[in-house]
Amino acid sequence: MLLPLLGRAQPAPANGWQPDAGLGGLMLRTLVSTAEGLLWVGTDDGVYRYDGTRLVALNALRRDGAVLPAVPCNHLLPLPQGQLWLGTEAGLYRFGPTGRLEPLPLPAPDGSSHAIEAVVLAPGGRQVWVAQAHSGLRAYTLAGQPIGPLVKNSDELQETWPAPDGSLWLVSHGVTRQLSAGGQELGRWHTAPQACLRPAYDPRGQPWLLSTAAAYRAGPGGRLDEQSRWDESPPEQGAAMVRNAAGPTVLLQRQVLQLEWTPGPAPRLRARFALPLPFRPPAAWRGQLQPDHAGHWWVFDMGTHGCWQWAAAAAFIHALPGPDGAPYSVRASVRLPDGRLLVSSYGKGILTQAADSPLAPLRRWKTATLPAGNAPVLMGLVPAPLGPGGSWLAAGVFPLLQFNLRTGAFNRLPMAGQPQLEPGVRALVRDAATHRVWAGTPLGLLYYDAASRAYRPYRAPGQPATAPPPLAGRLIEAVCPDGQGHLWLATPEGVERLTLATGHRESFGPQAPAARRVAVDGARCLYLAPDGRLWVGTHAHGLAVIDPDGRGRMALSQHQGLPNAPVVTITPSAGGYLWLGTYQGLVRYQPASGRLAVFTTAHGLASNECNSQAASVDPRDGSLLVGGVAGLHRVYPDRVPGTSAVPPRLLLTGYTTLATAAEASRPYYLLAADSLPALQLGPGLPLVDLQLALTNSLDPGQARYAYRLRGWLADRWLGLGTTPQLRLQGLPPGNYTVEIRAESGQGVRAANILRLPLTVTAEWWNRPLTWVLAAVAASAAVYGWQRARLRQLRRENDLRARLAADLHDEVGSLLTRVTMQAELLHALEQGPPARLATLVEDSRAAASTVRDIIWSVDAGVDTLAALVDRMRDHLDATARATGRELLLDENLPTGPEQPLPPTLRQHTYLIFKEAVTNALKYSEPGTPIRVSLGCTPLLELRIRSTGAGTGAPGRAGQGLRNMRHRAALLRAELTVGPVPGGWQVRLRQRP
């Protein structure tokens, strides 16, 4: 007897289907998940491993054995030991945890087809059932060997399901069979030719058979007793089904139907909810419904590209349907005195919602129309009777308006002094302390003057009426009163704090003083928290905060997990949360803990893009009203689901090394049996890219990653944002530990942290031992050079001392005897007197020259004191011979025994002698000659004659050329020429 029709299931409160971008280009046939959260997908052209962001072909993971042919894969079976069994059109394969792929024998090697229709694990996990097309099925050991007889089956199998009682169910079009564990048939049930009856067991262990329209009790002798029906539309068709303890889930052609068992001794099936599919199924529908390890549902059609995911969770974001079910873009929403919700939209006009239906569709308010002109939407609405006749104040894109609550009429309000201009209003807000309404516009700051029923530009008290308003021409994006006589203003340049009583402004932004310097340029929205902190949403930098002490700082950016930089709305909720509207989702942020969660279309948003300043708190129930480009959303912050029973898991799925040899650079994919690698960077391997994945997460693209290196940068955590890749390069040599952590887009931390040892080596020339050896070698070379130089200098000094002694003893003695004899002959007048006088003078000159030569080569007089003594002796002798006054001024260091290089001593003395000779020769007779010698610490010699000279040395003079030549050898500066009152020669040593 047929039971009454099962009550129709109500639509699920939120859709929540999320298309998967990584699988969108594939034509899937099967999908399974492993314990660590990775997905294996069988497609029309092979098998792939999917970690949520990357697809890797199985042949790229294979390390040994056969190559998988590019044929369709119909079934995949992951085993707890890490094995993956593959049923393909070309036969049966097994992929081991070490990367070996091997073909397995077919159940019927002589069958007409090698295609595998099913691969399932028997209850108890000790054997695997494999079905071969048009041949039958056979049990296999876990080692891959067929056992037992071949169970014949010529029908095309749609499902092979091992039941908890040990039996095996075979589902084909038109017939369903039950076999014992040994392969004997226990029952057979027939249905319509194109229908499939899929088995499910109730809590009492009794089998039921389900089609796309009804549920039947499986009776003996092939009898079917219909117990419930949810679709009267014949004919019944095949349906994919997922079984769980609470009740089966059936995939229909347009929806997913969640059933549940009724309590009591005679459980029956009833509908829990129906979830519409996110796409229009094709005519030849071959839909598949597959659950993963974390409880998510995956839906795809075997004949088309793409895959969709859904996470079963309590709905807390509700997209409110618009008129005619079409998308609509929302800018402002407010609760009216009669309880209705007023919503202003782009293109759809003014919409309303009934007071008692918070999730009801929005309807047009036909009598509420904006004035003609460029005013497609309300930019703000002040819910207070401040306008003429108790009307509300409103603002469109251009006109400033008054709103009649009773009729819905909007009328223009003038702007005093400039009636011809229509300012583009960006914000309209009421100061609760003063009840004054402020409007932010591209022309500056305006306020509503109730006496004149017009808007006026703000002027500071006492400012002349002829002076321009202080904010004239400034674009004001948002206005936030603090209730204490100040306004916070958001502008493209930053944020300003305006003191209304004085007109004083404090600026916050990139160009502000250090305490107020913060990247709030491009400020879009403001929220003043009860604790006095001002939160600022910017266009390019994320979220910033200005503390009560006036210091600004960045609070949240893309590096900390924002899905993108623009923050266009800030709305508070209980628990200290801030809800941030962005262009890529809605963010829940808790400043006290720094935790954040990102919600997208996967959680019920009609679109991820929120509109600027289009969010508010509904005073009726505390829910949030968030407007976006696809509609208005009602968000219940207290209904946000907690963490999943299966926490996310962080995996290292592979790494790529960049080596100096191109053939050594390749990606290396990790398998289940692999341990984490020990990383190395060095001269031949300068770069490593680590490929990360956060599994068991609804939206892997929103997962956030961070890393640190133990032993570098004070072990500080560095954010990677949502990039699942870590590149290591350019690190100083040493031993490190790389630690990586991750959290889901909803702020749920991964259950594990990856830790990998890292060794960084340097080029041979950049290693510490090399530098030590190089330093030792350099020191030895310098030491050897110094020793050789000292030996050479000692030999030169010995030679100079011996030469000076020989000259003194031999030549000096000879010249002394010649001089003495000449003087004796001159005294005895034994020759012509003139000749004897000349002989005496020449011999004396020769002896003096020899003494000079001996002094110049003598190594014992290489000091500053010896040079001074020699110069003094020469001046004394010259003064006695000429009767002239020759004066020597000394400016010497405290230690006159300071050594002088022999070349410097010799050339300085010879330049001195030549200069003194020229001074005596060309100066006025009887005038003094002054010589000064300084060493501070560079040597400087100056010879100056006073009085009018009798002549000047010619340019071709040999003495002047010699002095210049010697100065060049010393790399010194020589100046010769007239000075006021005389002539001067100056020799100055260069640094």
Side-chain angles (χ1 to χ4, degrees):
M1 183 179 68
L2 295 179
L3 295 179
L5 289 177
L6 184 68
R8 296 191 179 277
Q10 297 298 318
N15 197 321
W17 288 106
Q18 183 80 358
D20 192 281
L23 301 178
L26 299 178
M27 192 172 292
L28 275 64
R29 291 194 170 214
T30 185
L31 180 150
V32 297
S33 70
T34 61
E36 64 269 19
L38 292 172
L39 294 180
W40 289 92
V41 292
T43 71
D44 275 6
D45 61 353
V47 178
Y48 297 86
R49 188 183 74 178
Y50 185 49
D51 60 15
T53 56
R54 299 181 187 86
L55 276 168
V56 182
L58 184 139
N59 282 330
L61 301 169
R62 183 188 61 85
R63 299 176 185 170
D64 191 12
V67 176
L68 185 68
V71 296
C73 178
N74 300 317
H75 291 276
L76 295 170
L77 175 65
L79 297 182
Q81 300 87 350
Q83 299 180 12
L84 179 69
W85 289 50
L86 295 77
T88 75
E89 295 287 335
L92 181 65
Y93 293 84
R94 182 177 64 175
F95 185 63
T98 60
R100 178 177 178 80
L101 180 67
E102 56 181 330
L104 298 179
L106 293 172
D110 298 330
S112 59
S113 172
H114 289 180
I116 301 299
E117 289 185 319
V119 183
V120 295
L121 183 65
R126 295 185 178 181
Q127 64 183 24
V128 177
W129 284 96
V130 179
Q132 183 176 345
H134 310 300
S135 298
L137 68 160
R138 177 172 287 176
Y140 281 68
T141 66
L142 297 183
Q145 296 300 320
I147 55 175
L150 176 70
V151 179
K152 295 289 186 179
N153 182 70
S154 58
D155 299 322
E156 181 180 355
L157 289 176
Q158 300 299 307
E159 184 183 16
T160 302
W161 181 60
D165 59 4
S167 63
L168 185 67
W169 291 81
L170 306 181
V171 179
S172 304
H173 284 301
V175 61
T176 298
R177 301 167 59 196
Q178 183 184 20
L179 307 180
S180 68
Q184 293 80 21
E185 184 172 296
L186 301 178
R188 182 189 293 258
W189 294 266
H190 294 272
T191 185
Q194 295 301 317
C196 290
L197 295 176
R198 298 180 185 268
Y201 282 63
D202 63 22
R204 296 175 58 86
Q206 299 300 315
W208 289 59
L209 296 177
L210 279 70
S211 70
T212 57
Y216 303 90
R217 289 290 301 271
R223 190 176 73 252
L224 290 172
D225 298 328
E226 183 175 315
Q227 301 293 311
S228 57
R229 176 172 289 274
W230 49 84
D231 193 350
E232 298 180 274
S233 303
E236 294 184 316
Q237 297 179 355
M241 187 169 66
V242 174
R243 302 168 181 88
N244 52 63
T249 304
V250 182
L251 175 64
L252 307 179
Q253 193 165 7
R254 294 187 181 276
Q255 63 184 3
V256 174
L257 182 64
Q258 177 65 61
L259 305 173
E260 63 181 359
W261 298 105
T262 61
R268 296 180 180 178
L269 283 173
R270 65 184 179 190
R272 182 181 176 191
F273 66 84
L275 183 67
L277 293 179
F279 53 87
R280 182 177 296 277
W285 169 242
R286 292 191 298 164
Q288 295 292 319
L289 176 67
Q290 300 286 353
D292 65 13
H293 186 71
H296 304 150
W297 291 350
W298 298 81
V299 169
F300 55 91
D301 175 51
M302 295 177 62
T304 58
H305 293 85
C307 184
W308 295 72
Q309 182 185 181
W310 187 79
F316 66 98
I317 298 178
H318 300 268
L320 303 182
D324 307 322
Y328 59 102
S329 184
V330 172
R331 180 59 166 81
S333 58
V334 66
R335 184 69 67 176
L336 298 174
D338 61 4
R340 289 181 299 161
L341 184 68
L342 181 146
V343 179
S344 178
S345 68
Y346 294 89
K348 298 295 183 180
I350 305 300
L351 311 176
T352 62
Q353 184 190 60
D356 57 351
S357 304
L359 302 181
L362 301 179
R363 302 180 182 276
R364 286 189 180 90
W365 189 349
K366 296 181 180 180
T367 61
T369 57
L370 293 171
N374 190 6
V377 68
L378 289 179
M379 303 298 288
L381 194 67
V382 177
L386 299 174
S391 61
W392 285 10
L393 299 179
V397 173
F398 281 91
L400 294 155
L401 306 168
Q402 66 179 25
F403 171 52
N404 189 302
L405 302 177
R406 184 177 56 84
T407 64
F410 290 90
N411 298 311
R412 295 175 182 267
L413 289 174
M415 190 173 78
Q418 295 177 322
Q420 74 281 6
L421 294 178
E422 291 285 5
V425 178
R426 300 300 180 91
L428 192 70
V429 64
R430 176 173 176 260
D431 187 347
T434 63
H435 306 294
R436 175 167 283 188
V437 175
W438 298 93
T441 76
L443 301 180
L445 180 65
L446 308 179
Y447 72 95
Y448 178 68
D449 183 2
S452 62
R453 297 183 177 181
Y455 280 87
R456 298 181 180 276
Y458 163 77
R459 293 181 183 275
Q463 183 184 13
T466 57
L471 291 164
R474 295 286 303 278
L475 172 58
I476 310 296
E477 291 279 3
V479 181
C480 182
D482 67 356
Q484 300 178 2
H486 306 94
L487 293 182
W488 291 96
L489 308 176
T491 72
E493 297 77 23
V495 174
E496 293 191 8
R497 184 174 183 261
L498 172 65
T499 302
L500 296 173
T502 63
H504 176 70
R505 289 178 287 164
E506 285 183 309
S507 298
F508 298 80
Q511 307 302 323
R516 304 197 301 270
R517 188 174 301 143
V518 60
V520 291
D521 50 312
R524 301 292 297 274
C525 56
L526 304 173
Y527 167 67
L528 185 62
D531 60 6
R533 288 185 292 179
L534 181 77
W535 296 92
V536 184
T538 70
H539 179 70
H541 308 293
L543 182 69
V545 62
I546 299 175
D547 293 323
D549 61 2
R551 294 184 177 272
R553 54 187 172 85
M554 297 308 299
L556 193 62
S557 67
Q558 287 182 278
H559 294 292
Q560 284 82 42
L562 272 180
N564 71 332
V567 174
V568 295
T569 65
I570 306 174
T571 315
S573 72
Y577 291 103
L578 296 178
W579 292 76
L580 312 176
T582 74
Y583 291 157
Q584 293 185 10
L586 187 62
V587 178
R588 188 186 67 171
Y589 172 56
Q590 188 178 46
S593 64
R595 302 292 295 273
L596 73 156
V598 180
F599 303 109
T600 63
T601 54
H603 306 89
L605 291 178
S607 169
N608 289 335
E609 184 175 349
C610 299
N611 281 335
S612 180
Q613 302 184 48
S616 62
V617 179
D618 191 337
R620 169 159 293 194
D621 58 6
S623 63
L624 308 183
L625 297 171
V626 181
V629 298
L632 183 67
H633 308 88
R634 187 177 294 277
V635 181
Y636 293 97
D638 57 341
R639 301 182 187 177
V640 176
T643 58
S644 171
V646 180
R649 183 171 179 80
L650 178 61
L651 300 179
L652 177 66
T653 58
Y655 60 93
T656 301
T657 58
L658 177 62
T660 53
E663 62 274 8
S665 302
R666 65 179 183 88
Y668 188 89
Y669 299 105
L670 295 181
L671 301 176
D674 294 335
S675 57
L676 292 177
L679 305 175
Q680 283 196 345
L681 292 176
L685 195 69
L687 184 149
V688 173
D689 278 336
L690 305 181
Q691 299 172 6
L692 309 171
L694 187 67
T695 62
N696 299 331
S697 176
L698 176 62
D699 193 355
Q702 296 293 340
R704 301 181 290 271
Y705 304 86
Y707 79 101
R708 68 178 176 183
L709 293 179
R710 290 284 191 176
W712 188 62
L713 294 181
D715 297 346
R716 187 171 71 249
W717 285 99
L718 304 174
L720 294 172
T722 57
T723 303
Q725 178 174 302
L726 171 58
R727 172 165 293 182
L728 299 172
Q729 67 178 133
L731 297 172
N735 295 316
Y736 307 92
T737 298
V738 183
E739 294 186 351
I740 310 172
R741 69 185 186 190
E743 62 182 13
S744 69
Q746 290 71 53
V748 181
R749 287 280 179 89
N752 62 311
I753 293 179
L754 299 181
R755 293 181 175 87
L756 299 91
L758 170 65
T759 301
V760 181
T761 59
E763 295 279 2
W764 66 267
W765 47 264
N766 198 26
R767 295 176 183 172
L769 180 59
T770 303
W771 283 101
V772 171
L773 294 177
V776 171
S779 300
V782 171
Y783 176 76
W785 176 76
Q786 289 283 7
R787 291 292 303 271
R789 182 173 176 273
L790 290 175
R791 286 194 299 269
Q792 179 66 20
L793 185 59
R794 190 178 296 113
R795 285 195 297 267
E796 291 178 356
N797 290 339
D798 292 343
L799 177 61
R800 289 167 57 198
R802 187 168 62 252
L803 178 60
D806 292 344
L807 287 173
H808 181 272
D809 295 342
E810 300 296 334
V811 180
S813 298
L814 177 60
L815 288 176
T816 300
R817 289 197 299 272
V818 170
T819 302
M820 291 176 62
Q821 290 177 7
E823 290 176 347
L824 179 61
L825 290 176
H826 183 271
L828 297 176
E829 296 182 356
Q830 296 295 321
R835 292 180 179 274
L836 290 175
T838 301
L839 179 60
V840 170
E841 290 181 4
D842 290 344
S843 61
R844 287 175 179 173
S848 177
T849 302
V850 169
R851 285 195 297 274
D852 287 343
I853 294 174
I854 293 173
W855 179 85
S856 66
V857 300
D858 189 359
V861 293
D862 288 341
T863 63
L864 180 59
L867 175 61
V868 173
D869 291 343
R870 188 64 177 173
M871 292 172 60
R872 187 178 292 113
D873 291 344
H874 180 74
L875 291 176
D876 291 344
T878 304
R880 288 194 303 270
T882 61
R884 301 281 292 273
E885 183 181 8
L886 286 85
L887 304 175
L888 177 61
D889 297 331
E890 302 175 12
N891 182 18
L892 304 177
T894 55
E897 296 301 325
Q898 176 180 342
L900 285 182
T903 304
L904 178 61
R905 176 178 61 82
Q906 295 165 11
H907 289 300
T908 301
Y909 178 68
L910 293 177
I911 291 173
F912 156 75
K913 284 184 63 176
E914 184 65 32
V916 170
T917 301
N918 288 339
L920 292 172
K921 183 176 180 181
Y922 297 108
S923 64
E924 183 179 347
T927 59
I929 297 174
R930 294 186 176 276
V931 178
S932 64
L933 180 66
C935 186
T936 58
L938 299 178
L939 198 65
E940 183 175 357
L941 174 66
R942 183 179 299 175
I943 299 94
R944 179 169 179 170
S945 61
T946 60
T950 60
R955 292 186 178 180
Q958 183 66 33
L960 182 57
R961 286 199 300 271
N962 289 340
M963 285 192 295
R964 287 176 175 166
H965 177 67
R966 295 181 189 280
L969 293 177
L970 294 178
R971 296 182 180 177
E973 178 184 347
L974 179 66
T975 305
V976 180
V979 294
W983 194 268
Q984 176 177 272
V985 176
R986 182 188 180 197
L987 176 71
R988 186 173 181 273
Q989 187 182 4
R990 291 193 181 100

